[in-house]
Amino acid sequence: MSAAGPLLAALPAASVLLLTVATRPRGTDALAPLRLAVVRAALLTGAYAVLVVELLGALHALTRPAFVAAWLLFLLASATAATLRWRRASVQPAAVTPRPVPVGAALTGGTGTAGPVAVTDRDVAPVQIDRVRVSPLARAAEAWRTAGRGERLLAGTVGGLVLLELLVALLAEPNNFDSQTYHLPKVERWVAQGDLDFWPTAIHRQVTIPPGAEYLLLHLRLLTGGDALHNLVQWAAGIVCLVAVARITAQLGGSRRAQLITAFVLASTPMVVLQATSTQTDLVCAAWVACAATLVLDGLRRRTGWGTLLGLGAATGLTAVTKTSGLIAVGPLLVLWGLAQLRLALTRGAPAGEAPAGGAPVSAVPADVTPAGGSTGRSMPGGVGLASGVGPRRPVGSVARTVGGSVLILLVAAVVVGPFMARVTAEFGHPLGPPRLRESIPMERHDPPSILVNALRIGHTALDTPLAPLRRAAAEAIINGAEAIGVDPQDRAITFGREIFPEPAWYPDEDRVAFPIAGVLALIGAVVALTRPRRIDSGQTGPLRAYAVVVLIAVLLHTSMIKWQPWGNRLILYALVLAVPLAGLWLDALFRRHAHTAGTPAETAAGAPAAARAGMTGAGQRSVATMAAVTVLATSALAGVLALSYGFPRRLVGAGSVFTTSDWETRFLRRPQWADEFRWAADAVRDSGARRIGLVEQNDNWEYPWWLLLRHSDGRSPELVSLQSVLPERPPADPASVDAIVCTGSQPACAKLVPAGWRLEFRGYVGYALPPGR
């Protein structure tokens, strides 16, 4: 990393912080406004980063000066917006003088206690509080002061995990397998050629897989001159996920404790812990899906404003350009949003004071309040804003507005993902890429028995545990059941590549690790939300059921569209993030019921009423359930700590620790034997004075080490050209046109491309070839 790298890398971070101030909701009725501002800032920054890459790529200007100028411009715009927002907030009086309310209760969307008075979110909802004049630090301090011991433990564990992940992300060199093959090589290729044009390559994933996460890495690569901060992209995505799921929990009626439980369960999930220090892309995709989900929930009870429409479009486009599988969840979310908006549009004639969408009475919302969804809040005579759901507009006009909003979402998404899809379509004649990509991952059979078998196998891998007998028994049951209904459990039409089910996935590996605790808790929460939502929140039955339906639809669509594969757990991470709020809500309801039925000492005395004594048995049963839930949470925390401590391929302690392993060895922890082989070949090629170097590799070989080892001393990229190509319109380079050849994988495949008379040397996995005289 260059000397100015850390300073330049701070430009995006500073922009996000300023945008968080600038996009903070002006209205006083916004739920969790700071978290909403973080979501908005993340979407704005992500969309800007993608569009900058597309624009500068079209201009053949993917250079460091161009990116520095782009971020300075964005920082200036963010600072200006934040300053204006701060000035307006400092002079604007509170909309309504609030009655005394505990800060910790009012601002967490849950319950809080100040002295002998307990205030719930329903007590707080109609009250307008001047949030702008209470700093986030003061609110955090008050929330900590009013929190119970359990809440502090939850928050402290989440914070500790996040900080330790940051430490690992900063200390560890990128060493993800897929990153060595195609994530990072495509970033280096863009830097080398200065644009986004496709290139001849033997690894089709370098050009066919959506590059949204790599676009973000490209910014860090050009700003810092290296890859030392590359892991921070996924770490930041993990933060966005935690912020979004906590807000989703609040939107579904969860108390402060429910929000903390949700964040705790997600933060301690081993897959999240390991991905947060990686250069994979699954957590980035999950972050955009979670952002879409929280914006959609804002639209269940109020008309969506233009700002939120743009946010939904950005979230959709960013999901599509990062990982198209995330659209499996975003699609149902947008359908839910559209149905809710249509319902609001068709019930605009409801009498004043009635809640047409199941929310608070509209008379409680003053005309000059901007809702959390971003509506303009224009007022009507009589003091009721249009955002409240009541007004003189005809339903036809409101429906047209909903249709127009839907079109706007799709247009914004198209602006974000459209340029990449246009290049793919022009290259392969299909927006989803070549046939080998469309047929390798998606399901090729969609009959109910095949979908059922695929779903069972995906569930088996996702919920795998260290208990080998349980794993074997479940796998045998699935295999026998599949054969009984006439489905081959290893059918290539429902199985990726040549993989064989079952495959152990319990151990803490970033590509495979299962999530049995979070998965089972989310599944239970979804079932309870569907069947008995009043057990979670009697006032949120509609939103709870609707959200649970969306989660289950996303899971069902995933299992009917994506083939089983051993590393499929990371592919469904977005669905887990989406489902975790249901787990937090259910666990909080369980703890709440236990607290309500435990009774006081006086009630359990000998003179207690007969009904109270009869309830002691039920209370005892609930106490057992509560202790079981606490044990599960403790086990989840242990799993997260162990994944961070001993996870692979980045860990805090043991062999391969980030504290004791050299940078180069860290990169090769997946394949330690290759570290010296790559250096041996690169040294020979560099000593030969070769300038133009040919690449020979297979589809899953490592290419990234060549970009590091053959880089010029002044930081310029080497001239690497592929001697093979899977792109029909991109012929490979002529072997006679290069000064040297480097090979990975198959020695016979390399020998076929080496010109006659050249000297070919091979050592294990790596080889090189030089012409006579070199």
Side-chain angles (χ1 to χ4, degrees):
M1 181 164 50
S2 64
L7 182 61
L8 295 177
L11 294 176
S15 299
V16 171
L17 293 176
L18 291 170
L19 281 176
T20 301
V21 176
T23 60
R24 188 182 178 86
R26 288 193 294 271
T28 56
D29 69 331
L31 182 61
L34 180 59
R35 280 171 269 173
L36 177 58
V38 171
V39 168
R40 290 173 172 177
L43 290 173
L44 275 172
T45 306
Y48 178 79
V50 169
L51 294 177
V52 163
V53 171
E54 292 288 359
L55 177 60
L56 294 180
L59 298 175
H60 303 280
L62 297 181
T63 62
R64 189 181 197 185
F67 273 67
V68 171
W71 278 110
L72 287 174
L73 179 63
F74 191 64
L75 180 65
L76 178 61
S78 302
T80 302
T83 301
L84 294 176
R85 172 71 177 86
W86 188 265
R87 287 179 178 175
R88 283 197 300 267
S90 64
V91 300
Q92 181 180 1
V96 177
T97 302
R99 67 172 181 262
V101 178
V103 175
L107 299 180
T108 56
T111 59
T113 304
V117 181
V119 182
T120 68
D121 54 344
R122 288 179 179 77
D123 295 322
V124 175
V127 181
Q128 306 306 313
I129 301 170
D130 190 1
R131 301 174 188 268
V132 173
R133 296 179 183 177
V134 183
S135 70
L137 189 59
R139 282 197 306 277
E142 179 66 12
W144 183 264
R145 187 185 67 80
T146 59
R149 185 179 303 173
E151 292 176 342
R152 292 183 179 182
L153 182 60
L154 291 170
T157 302
V158 172
L161 287 172
V162 168
L163 290 177
L164 287 175
E165 289 163 6
L166 175 61
L167 178 65
V168 175
L170 290 173
L171 293 179
E173 301 295 321
N175 60 0
N176 173 263
F177 195 103
D178 284 347
S179 296
Q180 306 285 354
T181 301
Y182 68 96
H183 289 311
L184 300 185
K186 72 169 67 173
V187 173
E188 295 299 324
R189 181 68 65 177
W190 294 332
V191 173
Q193 63 188 28
D195 57 40
L196 301 174
D197 291 345
F198 291 162
W199 56 91
T201 178
I203 304 174
H204 76 88
R205 291 176 294 174
Q206 292 183 358
V207 295
T208 57
I209 298 292
E214 290 89 340
Y215 282 173
L216 304 182
L217 293 175
L218 176 62
H219 285 271
L220 289 179
R221 168 65 176 86
L222 287 172
L223 291 176
T224 66
D227 61 9
L229 301 183
H230 277 10
N231 292 331
L232 293 186
V233 170
Q234 283 260 107
W235 179 82
I239 298 297
V240 174
C241 286
L242 292 175
V243 169
V245 297
R247 185 168 190 266
I248 290 170
T249 306
Q251 289 172 293
L252 294 175
S255 65
R256 177 171 63 190
R257 182 176 61 188
Q259 298 166 47
L260 287 171
I261 292 174
T262 297
F264 176 89
V265 171
L266 184 64
S268 59
T269 300
M271 175 64 76
V272 175
V273 170
L274 295 172
Q275 288 256 341
T277 64
S278 168
T279 47
Q280 262 293 5
T281 62
D282 306 285
L283 208 51
V284 177
C285 174
W288 302 137
V289 172
C291 288
T294 190
L295 295 182
V296 163
L297 289 179
D298 276 338
L300 296 189
R301 291 183 170 177
R302 68 188 73 225
R303 298 308 305 275
T304 298
W306 297 111
T308 302
L309 289 173
L310 294 175
L312 284 171
T316 303
L318 288 169
T319 301
V321 81
T322 301
K323 217 174 187 69
T324 51
S325 58
L327 294 177
I328 294 174
V330 173
L333 283 169
L334 292 180
V335 170
L336 174 62
W337 171 86
L339 292 175
Q341 292 293 294
L342 286 175
R343 182 189 179 206
L344 291 172
L346 295 174
T347 56
R348 293 184 71 85
E354 182 180 341
V362 295
S363 58
V365 183
D368 57 350
V369 170
T370 302
S375 300
T376 58
R378 291 175 294 173
S379 60
M380 291 297 300
V384 179
L386 290 179
S388 65
V390 178
R393 290 186 180 181
R394 295 180 178 179
V396 173
S398 298
V399 171
R401 177 186 170 188
T402 300
V403 174
S406 303
V407 173
L408 178 61
I409 291 173
L410 296 178
L411 287 177
V412 173
V415 169
V416 176
V417 72
F420 169 71
M421 293 187 66
R423 289 194 299 274
V424 172
T425 303
E427 189 73 30
F428 302 105
H430 195 286
L432 298 181
R436 66 183 301 174
L437 178 63
R438 303 197 305 270
E439 297 170 1
S440 61
I441 298 178
M443 287 273 285
E444 298 177 76
R445 290 180 57 179
H446 298 91
D447 55 289
S450 296
I451 293 175
L452 175 62
V453 172
N454 194 55
L456 291 174
R457 294 183 306 166
I458 289 176
H460 179 274
T461 304
L463 304 179
D464 191 20
T465 70
L467 303 176
L470 177 62
R471 181 190 316 118
R472 287 194 297 267
E476 289 176 3
I478 293 173
I479 292 173
N480 294 334
E483 293 173 348
I485 60 177
V487 177
D488 179 4
Q490 315 300 345
D491 186 356
R492 297 303 101 189
I494 61 174
T495 306
F496 179 84
R498 301 179 180 178
E499 305 301 324
I500 301 297
F501 173 83
E503 184 74 24
W506 63 267
Y507 52 92
D509 183 291
E510 66 174 356
D511 288 333
R512 297 173 182 248
V513 63
F515 33 81
I517 296 176
V520 170
L521 290 177
L523 181 60
I524 295 174
V527 171
V528 174
L530 277 174
T531 59
R532 306 187 69 179
R534 292 184 180 275
R535 292 179 67 89
I536 295 178
D537 192 325
S538 60
Q540 295 279 348
T541 57
L544 274 171
R545 276 194 173 128
Y547 189 79
V549 166
V550 167
V551 170
L552 291 179
I553 287 176
V555 173
L556 291 175
L557 287 176
H558 184 98
T559 56
S560 63
M561 297 174 66
I562 307 296
K563 295 177 180 178
W564 175 86
Q565 48 192 287
W567 43 88
N569 289 343
R570 63 181 181 82
L571 301 184
I572 204 170
L573 182 59
Y574 70 90
L576 177 69
V577 171
L578 205 61
V580 162
L582 298 174
L585 289 164
W586 173 70
L587 285 171
D588 180 63
L590 181 66
F591 294 141
R592 190 170 63 245
R593 288 198 304 275
H594 166 62
H596 288 172
T597 58
T600 64
E603 290 174 340
T604 57
R613 292 196 302 270
M616 291 175 64
T617 300
Q621 294 174 348
R622 291 187 176 91
S623 178
V624 173
T626 301
M627 290 302 298
V630 170
T631 302
V632 168
L633 290 179
T635 305
S636 181
L638 179 61
V641 171
L642 290 177
L644 192 58
S645 301
Y646 297 99
F648 195 73
R650 291 166 303 280
R651 58 177 53 173
L652 286 172
V653 297
S657 167
V658 294
F659 296 113
T660 60
T661 309
S662 68
D663 294 348
W664 188 249
E665 291 174 336
T666 300
R667 296 181 185 275
F668 287 86
L669 283 176
R670 286 277 186 196
R671 300 291 186 271
Q673 68 275 19
W674 294 351
D676 291 336
E677 295 174 5
F678 270 99
R679 270 186 167 167
W680 160 75
D683 288 344
V685 171
R686 192 168 47 249
D687 293 343
S688 72
R691 296 295 181 183
R692 181 177 168 88
I693 303 165
L695 285 173
V696 179
E697 54 197 1
Q698 286 74 58
N699 184 57
D700 206 29
N701 289 175
W702 284 20
E703 180 182 314
Y704 186 58
W706 299 127
W707 291 98
L708 296 174
L709 291 168
L710 299 176
R711 185 176 297 171
H712 296 286
S713 58
D714 59 0
R716 289 183 297 113
S717 300
E719 186 180 0
L720 296 177
V721 296
S722 179
L723 303 184
Q724 307 149 287
S725 180
V726 294
L727 279 66
E729 304 300 323
R730 308 277 175 172
D734 184 351
S737 68
V738 300
D739 303 323
I741 296 174
V742 291
C743 310
T744 52
S746 171
Q747 181 174 353
C750 181
K752 290 180 181 179
L753 293 171
V754 174
W758 284 38
R759 176 169 55 93
L760 174 62
E761 299 284 346
F762 232 91
R763 182 182 294 180
Y765 178 76
V766 177
Y768 69 91
L770 295 173
R774 287 187 179 269

